[in-house]
Amino acid sequence: MSSNVEYMQHAIRLAKKGLYTTDPNPSVGCVIVKHGNIIGEGWHQRAGEAHAEINALVQAGDGAKGATAYITLEPCSHTGKTPPCADALINAGVKKVVAAMKDPNPLVAGDGLKKLQDAGVEVESGLLESQARDLNPGFIMRMEAGRPFVRVKMAMSLDGRTAMASGESQWISGVASRNDVQRMRAKSSAILTGIDTVLADDPSMNVRLSADELGLKPDQAVRQPKRIVLDSRFRMPSNAKIVAVEGECHVYTTVNMEAGRSYPFIIENCDSQDGKIDLQYLMDDLAKKEINLLHVEAGSVLCGALLKNDLVDEIIIYMAPHIMGDDAKGLFHLPGLEKMKDRISLSIKDVRFIGSDIRITALPQTVQ
């Protein structure tokens, strides 16, 4: 007989199957157990479609009566694009619900568990909560802090350089690292870059892996994240590759744009701060657009500004076995850091080889 922990671990594995497809919804898994046997399992497969609990209940059928449901996130109690899952569990006669964590969505925030409890269903919450939170950092950040989770991706040489003095930067990292980045893009709500990167490199900033390469079903289309370009002076070329690929491209600018003229991208007029894009305004606006996880691939100036404004939650650095020299460009443009007390410390979360490169995952920690 498996333990409660093992059932929840299985629910978490199921939830991971939706990491490429559920945005802007969270990825959720559910396992229904009766007499020590799994009789139903499911995961949320795509926004607007049935939630994990419903898919598991369909599989369990009448056997759900008197069973225990293990769910990675508190069942919803409100009607959105689908009816409340709490009601479905009650109507199915489930005896007990074990949730890994409460839903941070203010529309739920404990109401789902309370509704179950009021209906006589035994409830527990908190089993493997940290692992469940790791499934949906963007959704949780948007619900708890009102902004996206910001992940900055960079590639550097062994001596900490990101581009040659000429601006040439392709390719520092190897093929395995670039494919790893493609998977990160595919899990993101949006990809952010600056106009200088667009003008210098003309990147597409899209997901180029196939459904099969992402482990999706053959009939599942690869979801393309929105592309966000910061362009305070509005220098965005209409024929840029980032505009031509599938999906939405939003250009944020402080320039008062001419009314009536059409562009092949969506113009976002925004507040300025010292003549540049107001980054806090940007984060607020992206949250309103249901951007959960913001993946940043940009130059040292934009990355430095995000870091300086405490708007970076995770840094992914691919360190390639090259030396690029003193004149090459560095990771972050951070003027004003003159003393040790000014430095920005990082907490190293993970280090591993990706092909011939080393991938470092770090969390910013400002030293007081």
Side-chain angles (χ1 to χ4, degrees), residues 135-158:
L135 289 168
N136 300 292
F139 177 78
I140 293 170
M141 180 67 75
R142 180 164 65 88
M143 291 300 161
E144 293 182 346
R147 69 166 178 83
F149 182 96
V150 179
R151 177 181 61 212
V152 171
K153 187 281 297 184
M154 310 188 93
M156 72 175 190
S157 60
L158 199 60

mmCIF file of all heavy atoms in Angstrom, residues 135-158:
data_model
loop_
_atom_site.group_PDB
_atom_site.id
_atom_site.type_symbol
_atom_site.label_atom_id
_atom_site.label_comp_id
_atom_site.label_asym_id
_atom_site.label_seq_id
_atom_site.Cartn_x
_atom_site.Cartn_y
_atom_site.Cartn_z
ATOM 1 N N LEU A 135 5.794 24.000 -8.807
ATOM 2 C CA LEU A 135 5.112 23.764 -10.079
ATOM 3 C C LEU A 135 4.674 25.057 -10.750
ATOM 4 O O LEU A 135 4.682 25.166 -11.980
ATOM 5 C CB LEU A 135 3.866 22.891 -9.858
ATOM 6 C CG LEU A 135 4.053 21.425 -9.517
ATOM 7 C CD1 LEU A 135 2.731 20.831 -9.055
ATOM 8 C CD2 LEU A 135 4.581 20.657 -10.730
ATOM 9 N N ASN A 136 4.275 26.032 -9.952
ATOM 10 C CA ASN A 136 3.619 27.229 -10.488
ATOM 11 C C ASN A 136 4.160 28.524 -9.890
ATOM 12 O O ASN A 136 3.411 29.315 -9.318
ATOM 13 C CB ASN A 136 2.107 27.137 -10.231
ATOM 14 C CG ASN A 136 1.477 25.931 -10.884
ATOM 15 O OD1 ASN A 136 1.390 25.832 -12.095
ATOM 16 N ND2 ASN A 136 1.012 24.995 -10.057
ATOM 17 N N PRO A 137 5.469 28.789 -10.009
ATOM 18 C CA PRO A 137 6.009 30.009 -9.394
ATOM 19 C C PRO A 137 5.405 31.288 -9.962
ATOM 20 O O PRO A 137 5.207 32.263 -9.233
ATOM 21 C CB PRO A 137 7.507 29.926 -9.704
ATOM 22 C CG PRO A 137 7.599 29.040 -10.907
ATOM 23 C CD PRO A 137 6.506 28.033 -10.734
ATOM 24 N N GLY A 138 5.094 31.278 -11.263
ATOM 25 C CA GLY A 138 4.534 32.473 -11.883
ATOM 26 C C GLY A 138 3.122 32.766 -11.424
ATOM 27 O O GLY A 138 2.789 33.897 -11.057
ATOM 28 N N PHE A 139 2.268 31.750 -11.424
ATOM 29 C CA PHE A 139 0.886 31.924 -10.973
ATOM 30 C C PHE A 139 0.847 32.377 -9.524
ATOM 31 O O PHE A 139 0.105 33.294 -9.165
ATOM 32 C CB PHE A 139 0.126 30.603 -11.143
ATOM 33 C CG PHE A 139 -1.298 30.638 -10.643
ATOM 34 C CD1 PHE A 139 -2.293 31.231 -11.396
ATOM 35 C CD2 PHE A 139 -1.627 30.083 -9.419
ATOM 36 C CE1 PHE A 139 -3.610 31.268 -10.934
ATOM 37 C CE2 PHE A 139 -2.927 30.105 -8.945
ATOM 38 C CZ PHE A 139 -3.926 30.700 -9.706
ATOM 39 N N ILE A 140 1.670 31.754 -8.695
ATOM 40 C CA ILE A 140 1.692 32.109 -7.273
ATOM 41 C C ILE A 140 2.191 33.529 -7.078
ATOM 42 O O ILE A 140 1.622 34.309 -6.295
ATOM 43 C CB ILE A 140 2.557 31.108 -6.487
ATOM 44 C CG1 ILE A 140 1.892 29.717 -6.501
ATOM 45 C CG2 ILE A 140 2.781 31.566 -5.056
ATOM 46 C CD1 ILE A 140 2.762 28.603 -5.959
ATOM 47 N N MET A 141 3.252 33.923 -7.791
ATOM 48 C CA MET A 141 3.769 35.281 -7.673
ATOM 49 C C MET A 141 2.724 36.314 -8.102
ATOM 50 O O MET A 141 2.543 37.344 -7.450
ATOM 51 C CB MET A 141 5.036 35.441 -8.516
ATOM 52 C CG MET A 141 5.667 36.823 -8.475
ATOM 53 S SD MET A 141 6.351 37.260 -6.850
ATOM 54 C CE MET A 141 7.857 36.259 -6.860
ATOM 55 N N ARG A 142 2.028 36.036 -9.195
ATOM 56 C CA ARG A 142 1.021 36.990 -9.678
ATOM 57 C C ARG A 142 -0.125 37.129 -8.684
ATOM 58 O O ARG A 142 -0.639 38.234 -8.460
ATOM 59 C CB ARG A 142 0.496 36.547 -11.047
ATOM 60 C CG ARG A 142 -0.560 37.487 -11.624
ATOM 61 C CD ARG A 142 -0.770 37.252 -13.112
ATOM 62 N NE ARG A 142 -1.327 35.945 -13.411
ATOM 63 C CZ ARG A 142 -2.633 35.669 -13.460
ATOM 64 N NH1 ARG A 142 -3.528 36.619 -13.192
ATOM 65 N NH2 ARG A 142 -3.047 34.458 -13.765
ATOM 66 N N MET A 143 -0.508 36.031 -8.060
ATOM 67 C CA MET A 143 -1.608 36.080 -7.101
ATOM 68 C C MET A 143 -1.186 36.701 -5.770
ATOM 69 O O MET A 143 -1.949 37.434 -5.149
ATOM 70 C CB MET A 143 -2.150 34.665 -6.860
ATOM 71 C CG MET A 143 -2.856 34.083 -8.055
ATOM 72 S SD MET A 143 -4.279 35.083 -8.547
ATOM 73 C CE MET A 143 -4.525 34.530 -10.237
ATOM 74 N N GLU A 144 0.046 36.432 -5.344
ATOM 75 C CA GLU A 144 0.477 36.905 -4.025
ATOM 76 C C GLU A 144 1.118 38.282 -4.065
ATOM 77 O O GLU A 144 0.999 39.052 -3.109
ATOM 78 C CB GLU A 144 1.451 35.904 -3.403
ATOM 79 C CG GLU A 144 0.809 34.574 -3.056
ATOM 80 C CD GLU A 144 1.758 33.591 -2.389
ATOM 81 O OE1 GLU A 144 2.990 33.817 -2.414
ATOM 82 O OE2 GLU A 144 1.265 32.586 -1.825
ATOM 83 N N ALA A 145 1.824 38.611 -5.148
ATOM 84 C CA ALA A 145 2.556 39.881 -5.212
ATOM 85 C C ALA A 145 2.057 40.819 -6.304
ATOM 86 O O ALA A 145 2.519 41.963 -6.394
ATOM 87 C CB ALA A 145 4.055 39.611 -5.417
ATOM 88 N N GLY A 146 1.157 40.356 -7.137
ATOM 89 C CA GLY A 146 0.595 41.222 -8.174
ATOM 90 C C GLY A 146 1.536 41.510 -9.332
ATOM 91 O O GLY A 146 1.375 42.505 -10.038
ATOM 92 N N ARG A 147 2.508 40.642 -9.540
ATOM 93 C CA ARG A 147 3.409 40.797 -10.687
ATOM 94 C C ARG A 147 3.868 39.414 -11.145
ATOM 95 O O ARG A 147 3.736 38.435 -10.407
ATOM 96 C CB ARG A 147 4.621 41.664 -10.336
ATOM 97 C CG ARG A 147 5.616 41.043 -9.346
ATOM 98 C CD ARG A 147 6.924 41.823 -9.352
ATOM 99 N NE ARG A 147 7.919 41.346 -8.403
ATOM 100 C CZ ARG A 147 8.742 40.323 -8.627
ATOM 101 N NH1 ARG A 147 8.678 39.657 -9.765
ATOM 102 N NH2 ARG A 147 9.628 39.959 -7.714
ATOM 103 N N PRO A 148 4.438 39.317 -12.351
ATOM 104 C CA PRO A 148 4.934 38.015 -12.801
ATOM 105 C C PRO A 148 6.172 37.578 -12.033
ATOM 106 O O PRO A 148 6.871 38.400 -11.434
ATOM 107 C CB PRO A 148 5.298 38.271 -14.282
ATOM 108 C CG PRO A 148 4.646 39.552 -14.653
ATOM 109 C CD PRO A 148 4.541 40.352 -13.397
ATOM 110 N N PHE A 149 6.446 36.299 -12.078
ATOM 111 C CA PHE A 149 7.726 35.759 -11.634
ATOM 112 C C PHE A 149 8.717 36.041 -12.756
ATOM 113 O O PHE A 149 8.484 35.686 -13.910
ATOM 114 C CB PHE A 149 7.598 34.252 -11.386
ATOM 115 C CG PHE A 149 8.849 33.585 -10.878
ATOM 116 C CD1 PHE A 149 9.044 33.384 -9.522
ATOM 117 C CD2 PHE A 149 9.824 33.130 -11.759
ATOM 118 C CE1 PHE A 149 10.186 32.746 -9.045
ATOM 119 C CE2 PHE A 149 10.964 32.494 -11.300
ATOM 120 C CZ PHE A 149 11.148 32.310 -9.934
ATOM 121 N N VAL A 150 9.843 36.681 -12.434
ATOM 122 C CA VAL A 150 10.797 37.123 -13.450
ATOM 123 C C VAL A 150 12.045 36.252 -13.417
ATOM 124 O O VAL A 150 12.748 36.191 -12.407
ATOM 125 C CB VAL A 150 11.178 38.598 -13.255
ATOM 126 C CG1 VAL A 150 12.189 39.040 -14.317
ATOM 127 C CG2 VAL A 150 9.932 39.484 -13.313
ATOM 128 N N ARG A 151 12.291 35.577 -14.535
ATOM 129 C CA ARG A 151 13.462 34.729 -14.678
ATOM 130 C C ARG A 151 14.363 35.321 -15.765
ATOM 131 O O ARG A 151 13.932 35.513 -16.902
ATOM 132 C CB ARG A 151 13.047 33.312 -15.071
ATOM 133 C CG ARG A 151 14.233 32.365 -15.310
ATOM 134 C CD ARG A 151 13.750 30.993 -15.715
ATOM 135 N NE ARG A 151 12.997 31.025 -16.952
ATOM 136 C CZ ARG A 151 11.985 30.198 -17.237
ATOM 137 N NH1 ARG A 151 11.591 29.304 -16.377
ATOM 138 N NH2 ARG A 151 11.365 30.289 -18.400
ATOM 139 N N VAL A 152 15.605 35.617 -15.412
ATOM 140 C CA VAL A 152 16.568 36.165 -16.366
ATOM 141 C C VAL A 152 17.493 35.052 -16.827
ATOM 142 O O VAL A 152 18.143 34.390 -16.010
ATOM 143 C CB VAL A 152 17.384 37.312 -15.728
ATOM 144 C CG1 VAL A 152 18.525 37.730 -16.654
ATOM 145 C CG2 VAL A 152 16.482 38.507 -15.428
ATOM 146 N N LYS A 153 17.551 34.854 -18.153
ATOM 147 C CA LYS A 153 18.433 33.844 -18.728
ATOM 148 C C LYS A 153 19.607 34.533 -19.417
ATOM 149 O O LYS A 153 19.432 35.478 -20.183
ATOM 150 C CB LYS A 153 17.665 32.997 -19.748
ATOM 151 C CG LYS A 153 18.443 31.792 -20.292
ATOM 152 C CD LYS A 153 19.469 32.093 -21.370
ATOM 153 C CE LYS A 153 18.889 32.666 -22.636
ATOM 154 N NZ LYS A 153 19.975 32.858 -23.697
ATOM 155 N N MET A 154 20.818 34.053 -19.116
ATOM 156 C CA MET A 154 22.003 34.617 -19.756
ATOM 157 C C MET A 154 22.981 33.506 -20.102
ATOM 158 O O MET A 154 22.984 32.448 -19.463
ATOM 159 C CB MET A 154 22.687 35.625 -18.830
ATOM 160 C CG MET A 154 21.744 36.659 -18.238
ATOM 161 S SD MET A 154 22.586 37.957 -17.333
ATOM 162 C CE MET A 154 22.768 39.176 -18.620
ATOM 163 N N ALA A 155 23.790 33.759 -21.127
ATOM 164 C CA ALA A 155 24.872 32.832 -21.480
ATOM 165 C C ALA A 155 26.172 33.613 -21.389
ATOM 166 O O ALA A 155 26.250 34.764 -21.826
ATOM 167 C CB ALA A 155 24.666 32.284 -22.886
ATOM 168 N N MET A 156 27.179 32.991 -20.797
ATOM 169 C CA MET A 156 28.441 33.702 -20.623
ATOM 170 C C MET A 156 29.621 32.753 -20.834
ATOM 171 O O MET A 156 29.493 31.530 -20.771
ATOM 172 C CB MET A 156 28.526 34.333 -19.239
ATOM 173 C CG MET A 156 28.725 33.355 -18.096
ATOM 174 S SD MET A 156 28.957 34.196 -16.511
ATOM 175 C CE MET A 156 29.463 32.822 -15.476
ATOM 176 N N SER A 157 30.768 33.364 -21.083
ATOM 177 C CA SER A 157 32.012 32.616 -21.175
ATOM 178 C C SER A 157 32.533 32.340 -19.770
ATOM 179 O O SER A 157 31.986 32.833 -18.772
ATOM 180 C CB SER A 157 33.040 33.415 -21.967
ATOM 181 O OG SER A 157 33.298 34.655 -21.319
ATOM 182 N N LEU A 158 33.599 31.592 -19.691
ATOM 183 C CA LEU A 158 34.196 31.264 -18.396
ATOM 184 C C LEU A 158 34.671 32.517 -17.669
ATOM 185 O O LEU A 158 34.701 32.556 -16.436
ATOM 186 C CB LEU A 158 35.369 30.294 -18.597
ATOM 187 C CG LEU A 158 35.835 29.496 -17.378
ATOM 188 C CD1 LEU A 158 34.718 28.628 -16.829
ATOM 189 C CD2 LEU A 158 37.041 28.631 -17.746
#
